[in-house]
Amino acid sequence: MKALNYSPEHLTSNRRLFWIAAALGVIMMAPVAWIIGLSLKDNAELLKGTEAVFSFPYTLVNYANILESSSVFGWFMNSMIVAVGQTFGVLLLSSLAGYAFARLEFPFRKTLFIIVLFGLAVPEQAVIIARHQMFNWFDLHNTHIGLILPNLSSAFGVFLMTQFFRAIPKEIDEAAMLDNTSTFRIFWKVLLPLTLPAQATLGIFTFLQAWNDYWWPLISATKSDMYTLTIGIASSQTNFAQSEGLGFLGAQAIFASLPVVIVYIFFQRHIVTAVSGGAVK
Amino acid sequence: MAESYRRSRWTNGLFVVPYLSVFLTLLVFPLGWGIWLSLNKVDLFGGERFIGLKNYARVLSDPIFGQAVKNTLIFVGVSVPTLVILGLFLALALNKTTKGSSFLRGLFFASSILSVTIVTLIWRIVFIPNDGLMALIFNYFGWQPIGFLSTTGWSLFSVGVATVWWCIGLPMMLFLAALQQIPKDLYEAAALDNASRWRVLTRITLPSIKSTIMLVAIIQVVMQFQLFGQAQLMTNGGPAGSSRPIVMYIYEIGFLRWDIGMGAAASQILFLIILCAAMLQYWVSTRKEETDA
Amino acid sequence: MKKLLLGTTAVSLLALSSWANANTTIELQRFFGACEAEYGKTTDVSAAVGECGIITTLVNKFEADNPDIDVKVTTVEWPGYDQLNAQLASRSAPDVVSMHYSAMSDYQSRGLLVPLDKLLKDQGIKATDFTDAAISSVTKEGKVYALPFDNWTMLFHVNNNLMKKADLMKADGTPMLPTSRDELFAQGKQFNEATGKPYLVQVLANETATYARIFYTLMMQQDSKFFADPGHIDLSGEDAKAALTLMKNIMDKDLSTKNMDYPAAVSAFANGAGGIAVNGTWLIGSYDAQSKQANNALSDGYSVFPVPQFFKQKDATYADGHGWVVPRGDRSDEKMAAIGKLFKFLYDNDYEWSRTGHLPTVKKVIASDKFKSLPHRSDIAKIATTGQALPAGVLRQFAIQDILGEELGSAVTGNKSIDDALETAQYRINDLLENI
């Protein structure tokens, strides 16, 4: 045993565990490799049997077909607009509210905060039917706004930002106060920049949630122009042997995931820090 | 000056007005409205008529709702421990700064960024009979094929496999973050005592990240109770409703059978169940801490 | 300079005029699958095969023939009624929607469909142009609510090549099919022993429709009045028990493939995995096309027949059909006229649609030599008279189908007893119908 051995990494982890994890990683990737394989095969060949995946020839025809005629681009844009819009909305509302709950005094502050905390416990399912009716009244279905709005009410962001604003040392804004800065300026110029790590965490969570949202877009975005990627891909899974074929569907799945996967590969480090940031508290 | 900053003012409350207005219109009001709907005979195209608790009685006496509750409880009961244990294992195995570990961390988290329809598309094409990856593997070894998506028991299992594959990233990341927070001197002391790895794990590591384990478990319980997309897209709840979760039941009642009054009643019951489950977990965890102390 | 100026004016005038003649857009929502990759660009209807190919090329052709009308197609997951319900509730339903006759009462009874009598009359289409079966299915309270497009039933699609192997061919080159329950099991056993493959290829997984359709057929063959009161199903009799017992025995005696969902069953039969596919009229075109190609399981060996009569009481088979409806909504006269043109076009091309295997709804087409000379049509001609739907007054037929299919499935796979499954199905369906 070398002296180095007391480092936490060496005590919590070892080679054998690593190789088990690596094996799990291979299992994890197998379905993806399978889909990539299918996407590179001609559909007619696959109809005779999918063992064809393991032998030549391979082709890019499925991808060419997507570029030519698929609606994936439109769905992708809708998903982007909704996810980005929702992320900014949540960050803005949660930061404003979190700041006030954490660092300002106003009447009913505590009561209001407790009410908001209660909101944490309300799952989407408990309100979705009523929301669907409400959005009918205001003709908000099949609009981007209609897709963005519901999740802005999530109390999680406010809770998280309140925690982070609380963690900032009191001296910082008190020093700013001596310079007679307005409350809003203190928030905007002094404190908000300090919460950037928290913003990143909340932002990524919100974005992923919006990107993966299923039920609300399923009943709200009912026109094909307004489909998000999630709903669009679902709609094309219909009766697949009869229509597009496994190769085309595989290509669609790969193609639709490509943008987020690329973003993920480039920003992986940031995303990982941000996600882990959520656990520090 | 600093004194006045801390003073209570109405204007300070303006900061919470934007969120509160959204909160009230899109969460509090629909919650109340949903409860009102659940007390009415009302369908997708109108026709409200107050009927008291009759919708609740219908939901609770519906054998299919009972089956959906059972399916959901089984699903949560199996998938959450799996996610916690597997996530913890991966975090322990990959808590290193080597290139290989960092690559694998990235790999295990990567599936979380995919949307549910892509996850289910992938897994459907893995599990489908005859042409799926599993069918090929079984065929190669000459095993009896299994109808993963169409056999009672297996269908919910398959939905669970896809779900664990999809969701494993977050628990792993949260555990990794927690592991990084454990003070190094604890391990130094252990090394001096020549403690075994197992002892270090059970006496130092796990107790230090106890609160994270609880956090991960609560997050996953709340998430997995809301199972819907995977089941709807992979098995459509079948066969014979054996993989139909509560949320899918609500969807079907509301949008296939038009009965949003009954759907609203079922969703209030789901709300209660989730609330109880989360509170029970919280209660168990705090009580444990007390006895530990 | 002058030229340039003239040129610019001409171009801008052109641009202006095309703007002034802004196209009318029809939003069309349908099932039948998506096949943009294969058929997205072609207008050659006669070369298309299968439901998806034919409807896609038909719409392309219509757009090409009518440059002033755009048809925007949305493909929904079959049958797409949950999505339509959400759309109707939010007043954003499309202009034209594909709908089963069996689903129409739900929407018509709530005033969610537009009557089409005037629209069809303006295009010179008369009610008497359609077969009685078709027009009566889409007529509610004296008004026509859909353009009837086809009638369909379940059929026995037969792989003659395998039947030959099992010595189940008659001298005239047609397959020997059972005429009773006993023969079904005897021939199934013979087939299985000779080929090592299951006799029947059935859709049994992740679907409820097939179970329900077969069950309805077996009930109708017993002349059962299980919907004597459209607000109430009666599954307590011996007839229901007999029908379900037959379905269960088929599974228990290993007469059928297991665990296959719809796409798997369709391709399994195409790959020669079993003798007889129990599936709908819509596959005739595709399977027939395959049988004309060399070196595949169906080469030169495909035929198709109505579901045999397993019960003595009545030669009957469950039938339904697809129509095109116009959901309630605000539409300009131009748009209604454009929809009228589209319907006339679909009406005129009912023959092309019938190449899928569906029965045409237009009398002229049925009488035409073109249709009669399509392969296999004479073998299944009698479904036009034996086809039978549920009583029109039965609401929520798709929800009923889901419940029934689920419970029948439980019994067939052995998760519930036959009595238990029928009892639960009856309870659930009646609870649904009582609370509409």
Side-chain angles (χ1 to χ4, degrees):
Chain A
M1 273 220 185
K2 282 190 231 152
L4 255 177
N5 258 357
Y6 63 71
S7 89
E9 286 164 11
H10 278 257
L11 278 172
T12 55
S13 167
N14 69 24
R15 228 157 228 294
R16 210 179 314 146
L17 288 188
F18 174 81
W19 285 115
I20 297 175
L24 283 176
V26 172
I27 296 174
M28 181 97 178
M29 281 306 288
V32 177
W34 169 244
I35 300 301
I36 294 176
L38 288 174
S39 76
L40 295 173
K41 296 297 290 184
D42 186 64
N43 284 310
E45 208 183 332
L46 289 177
L47 264 184
K48 289 188 202 122
T50 42
E51 308 84 46
V53 167
F54 303 111
S55 56
F56 284 98
Y58 293 101
T59 163
L60 285 173
V61 67
N62 291 317
Y63 291 92
N65 282 335
I66 289 177
L67 294 179
E68 245 176 49
S69 60
S70 173
S71 331
V72 172
F73 290 107
W75 302 339
F76 183 80
M77 279 316 293
N78 287 333
S79 277
M80 256 319 176
I81 294 170
V82 171
V84 169
Q86 214 171 82
T87 307
F88 274 103
V90 166
L91 289 183
L92 184 70
L93 295 181
S94 311
S95 303
L96 284 169
Y99 166 66
F101 279 132
R103 306 191 77 93
L104 298 178
E105 253 326 314
F106 52 91
F108 305 116
R109 184 182 64 89
K110 277 199 177 128
T111 324
L112 286 175
F113 190 62
I114 288 169
I115 293 174
V116 170
L117 281 190
F118 178 72
L120 272 178
V122 182
E124 185 193 19
Q125 287 75 27
V127 293
I128 194 162
I129 287 177
R131 266 188 201 155
H132 187 265
Q133 265 213 334
M134 286 169 61
F135 279 50
N136 283 343
W137 303 336
F138 301 105
D139 271 330
L140 281 169
H141 289 300
N142 288 301
T143 64
H144 288 124
I145 291 290
L147 289 172
I148 290 172
L149 276 178
N151 281 347
L152 295 189
S153 64
S154 150
F156 175 70
V158 175
F159 172 68
L160 195 72
M161 290 317 294
T162 307
Q163 299 289 91
F164 271 96
F165 273 109
R166 269 199 193 131
I168 299 172
K170 285 213 182 332
E171 293 76 28
I172 294 180
D173 40 341
E174 277 167 9
M177 219 40 230
L178 293 176
D179 299 339
N180 217 352
T181 324
S182 76
T183 317
F184 184 77
R185 267 186 80 86
I186 293 177
F187 163 70
W188 191 251
K189 291 276 175 183
V190 182
L191 293 180
L192 198 60
L194 295 176
T195 63
L196 267 183
Q199 305 278 354
T201 301
L202 179 57
I204 287 165
F205 272 120
T206 312
F207 187 92
L208 282 180
Q209 200 189 2
W211 188 262
N212 292 329
D213 203 3
Y214 179 65
W215 196 5
W216 181 251
L218 181 68
I219 55 177
S220 181
T222 51
K223 287 194 169 182
S224 56
D225 300 350
M226 288 305 301
Y227 283 175
T228 59
L229 202 55
T230 315
I231 302 309
I233 299 275
S235 79
S236 68
Q237 288 185 33
T238 65
N239 289 353
F240 46 59
Q242 185 190 6
S243 36
E244 306 276 26
L246 293 179
F248 184 83
L249 283 171
Q252 212 173 34
I254 299 297
F255 188 80
S257 345
L258 224 45
V260 279
V261 171
I262 290 171
V263 169
Y264 175 65
I265 290 171
F266 274 104
F267 294 99
Q268 194 191 331
R269 182 163 305 202
H270 301 271
I271 293 176
V272 166
T273 350
V275 170
S276 320
V280 173
K281 271 280 117 185
Chain B
M1 262 339 238
E3 205 45 42
S4 76
Y5 176 62
R6 294 276 166 237
R7 218 169 49 207
S8 174
R9 290 190 208 189
W10 279 104
T11 48
N12 286 342
L14 289 178
F15 281 91
V16 297
V17 167
Y19 175 72
L20 279 185
S21 44
V22 174
F23 179 76
L24 286 177
T25 46
L26 290 172
L27 200 74
V28 177
F29 177 74
L31 188 63
W33 184 248
I35 293 171
W36 169 248
L37 283 178
S38 73
L39 302 173
N40 277 271
K41 170 106 204 80
V42 50
D43 78 21
L44 268 179
F45 308 105
E48 268 164 57
R49 185 161 52 81
F50 187 82
I51 54 166
L53 292 172
K54 213 179 141 205
N55 281 325
Y56 288 90
R58 282 184 66 206
V59 171
L60 292 174
S61 64
D62 186 350
I64 302 312
F65 181 74
Q67 188 190 27
V69 171
K70 195 185 97 193
N71 293 339
T72 312
L73 289 177
I74 293 173
F75 182 81
V76 171
V78 175
S79 71
V80 171
T82 310
L83 282 164
V84 171
I85 292 168
L86 202 58
L88 189 59
F89 168 79
L90 289 175
L92 288 170
L94 302 175
N95 186 24
K96 288 197 249 184
T97 44
T98 59
K99 276 227 167 78
S101 306
S102 131
F103 172 79
L104 284 177
R105 283 198 299 265
L107 185 76
F108 283 111
F109 189 73
S111 56
S112 315
I113 61 170
L114 301 177
S115 60
V116 61
T117 32
I118 290 179
V119 174
T120 54
L121 180 60
I122 291 174
W123 281 97
R124 247 175 104 175
I125 304 182
V126 168
F127 282 133
I128 48 171
N130 306 322
D131 286 334
L133 179 61
M134 293 310 276
L136 288 198
I137 293 174
F138 273 59
N139 206 5
Y140 180 81
F141 289 108
W143 298 333
Q144 195 64 28
I146 295 174
F148 283 101
L149 300 176
S150 56
T151 319
T152 313
W154 282 111
S155 61
L156 193 60
F157 168 82
S158 306
V159 169
V161 169
T163 305
V164 170
W165 186 85
W166 185 33
C167 299
I168 189 63
L170 186 63
M172 177 190 72
M173 285 299 177
L174 295 179
F175 285 132
L176 275 167
L179 289 179
Q180 302 285 334
Q181 304 282 319
I182 303 175
K184 285 200 168 123
D185 44 356
L186 286 179
Y187 289 103
E188 285 170 30
L192 288 179
D193 289 352
N194 241 339
S196 72
R197 281 182 204 283
W198 182 249
R199 253 184 101 78
V200 172
L201 178 70
T202 51
R203 293 299 169 88
I204 300 178
T205 312
L206 290 185
S208 312
I209 59 168
K210 211 168 55 186
S211 63
T212 308
I213 297 177
M214 212 53 227
L215 175 79
V216 169
I218 291 183
I219 291 177
Q220 290 303 328
V221 164
V222 171
M223 265 176 60
Q224 303 311 338
F225 254 114
Q226 303 181 29
L227 168 71
F228 175 41
Q230 299 98 295
Q232 200 205 19
L233 292 164
M234 286 177 71
T235 64
N236 202 13
S242 62
S243 62
R244 177 192 286 114
I246 304 175
V247 178
M248 198 174 145
Y249 175 86
I250 300 171
Y251 176 77
E252 286 180 354
I253 296 288
F255 291 91
L256 281 175
R257 291 169 57 170
W258 306 15
D259 198 339
I260 58 175
M262 188 173 165
S267 51
Q268 304 313 326
I269 297 173
L270 172 66
F271 178 25
L272 269 181
I273 295 177
I274 294 183
L275 206 61
C276 291
M279 267 161 47
L280 185 75
Q281 250 179 326
Y282 182 76
W283 177 71
V284 168
S285 70
T286 46
R287 204 186 54 144
K288 238 192 182 164
E289 259 161 42
E290 274 160 28
T291 50
D292 281 355
Chain C
M1 189 60 199
K2 214 175 179 180
K3 242 184 192 163
L4 187 74
L5 207 69
L6 265 176
T8 334
T9 325
V11 168
S12 41
L13 270 177
L14 212 68
L16 206 68
S17 70
S18 75
W19 174 78
N21 285 333
N23 281 359
T24 312
T25 302
I26 301 175
E27 289 178 24
L28 182 148
Q29 182 166 299
R30 61 165 180 82
F31 38 85
F32 304 128
C35 46
E36 278 297 299
E38 199 179 348
Y39 291 107
K41 295 240 160 42
T42 162
T43 56
D44 186 359
V45 180
S46 59
V49 176
E51 279 182 314
C52 187
I54 292 176
I55 190 63
T56 305
T57 49
L58 274 176
V59 170
N60 291 346
K61 178 89 182 352
F62 175 75
E63 282 189 294
D65 291 355
N66 297 275
D68 56 328
I69 303 175
D70 289 333
V71 183
K72 228 189 71 201
V73 178
T74 303
T75 325
V76 292
E77 183 157 10
W78 185 92
Y81 296 127
D82 46 349
Q83 188 168 356
L84 179 66
N85 294 341
Q87 288 169 330
L88 283 167
S90 60
R91 293 180 302 276
S92 49
D95 301 313
V96 175
V97 180
S98 60
M99 190 175 277
H100 294 90
Y101 301 154
S102 57
M104 282 178 56
S105 292
D106 288 355
Y107 298 93
Q108 184 274 334
S109 65
R110 292 299 292 269
L112 297 167
L113 300 180
V114 176
L116 300 174
D117 301 78
K118 184 175 174 317
L119 183 134
L120 294 177
K121 209 177 103 201
D122 289 350
Q123 296 293 335
I125 305 174
K126 296 187 295 289
T128 50
D129 292 340
F130 297 104
T131 61
D132 295 341
I135 198 69
S136 65
S137 308
V138 299
T139 307
K140 315 265 163 196
E141 293 163 18
K143 286 185 184 145
V144 173
Y145 282 94
L147 174 77
F149 204 37
D150 61 51
N151 281 95
W152 56 254
T153 68
M154 299 299 276
L155 297 170
F156 268 28
H157 300 264
V158 186
N159 182 333
N160 291 352
N161 298 332
L162 286 173
M163 295 296 262
K164 208 173 290 166
K165 232 176 168 180
D167 203 17
L168 283 169
M169 293 295 277
K170 289 191 265 191
D172 64 354
T174 58
M176 212 180 290
L177 291 180
T179 56
S180 69
R181 278 167 283 173
D182 292 340
E183 272 184 42
L184 173 75
F185 290 106
Q187 294 183 7
K189 190 159 172 260
Q190 182 181 339
F191 182 94
N192 183 258
E193 279 164 2
T195 62
K197 291 176 178 179
Y199 184 56
L200 299 177
V201 180
Q202 288 183 284
V203 185
L204 298 169
N206 303 343
E207 222 218 23
T208 52
T210 317
Y211 283 112
R213 289 165 183 168
I214 295 294
F215 182 76
Y216 290 152
T217 298
L218 297 176
M219 291 295 274
M220 288 164 175
Q221 290 187 349
Q222 299 177 75
D223 206 11
S224 164
K225 300 281 178 281
F226 57 109
F227 262 121
D229 164 13
H232 227 80
I233 195 168
D234 180 8
L235 299 176
S236 59
E238 283 305 309
D239 44 0
K241 208 167 168 176
L244 183 51
T245 306
L246 174 58
M247 292 170 74
K248 183 166 166 50
N249 283 343
I250 287 175
M251 289 304 288
D252 289 351
K253 303 215 165 131
D254 288 325
L255 237 55
S256 170
T257 54
K258 298 187 167 83
N259 298 327
M260 286 187 184
D261 61 4
Y262 180 85
V266 170
S267 68
F269 178 73
N271 291 329
I276 297 172
V278 187
N279 214 321
T281 46
W282 50 88
L283 289 169
I284 297 178
S286 309
Y287 284 151
D288 183 63
Q290 190 193 332
S291 74
K292 287 182 174 128
Q293 288 162 1
N295 300 323
N296 66 60
L298 296 181
S299 293
D300 238 351
Y302 166 72
S303 56
V304 57
F305 298 90
V307 175
Q309 194 180 342
F310 292 116
F311 293 93
K312 294 218 169 57
Q313 287 85 337
K314 193 174 175 188
D315 193 2
T317 185
Y318 173 71
D320 196 354
H322 303 117
W324 298 100
V325 300
V326 179
R328 167 182 86 175
D330 293 326
R331 291 186 190 86
S332 64
D333 291 345
E334 286 105 69
K335 186 170 266 192
M336 285 310 279
I339 294 173
K341 271 189 186 167
L342 174 66
F343 280 14
K344 175 78 162 76
F345 177 84
L346 293 172
Y347 165 86
D348 288 340
N349 284 284
D350 197 38
Y351 163 74
E352 295 294 347
W353 185 244
S354 75
R355 289 197 300 108
T356 55
H358 288 307
L359 288 188
T361 54
V362 180
K363 280 181 192 162
K364 260 198 328 247
V365 175
I366 293 192
S368 71
D369 294 337
K370 226 171 23 167
F371 174 72
K372 283 182 190 153
S373 61
L374 282 172
H376 313 300
R377 295 319 191 269
S378 55
D379 294 332
I380 59 163
K382 77 165 180 185
I383 57 173
T385 48
T386 58
Q388 191 179 328
L390 294 188
V394 180
L395 294 174
R396 303 290 187 277
Q397 289 192 24
F398 269 75
I400 292 172
Q401 178 175 288
D402 282 341
I403 295 173
L404 196 54
E406 203 170 286
E407 296 299 334
L408 298 173
S410 303
V412 166
T413 51
N415 291 317
K416 267 187 191 168
S417 72
I418 287 177
D419 291 329
D420 187 11
L422 289 172
E423 200 178 308
T424 320
Q426 173 166 322
Y427 168 80
R428 287 175 66 193
I429 292 168
N430 287 339
D431 177 67
L432 162 75
L433 291 173
E434 278 158 19
N435 286 286
I436 286 175

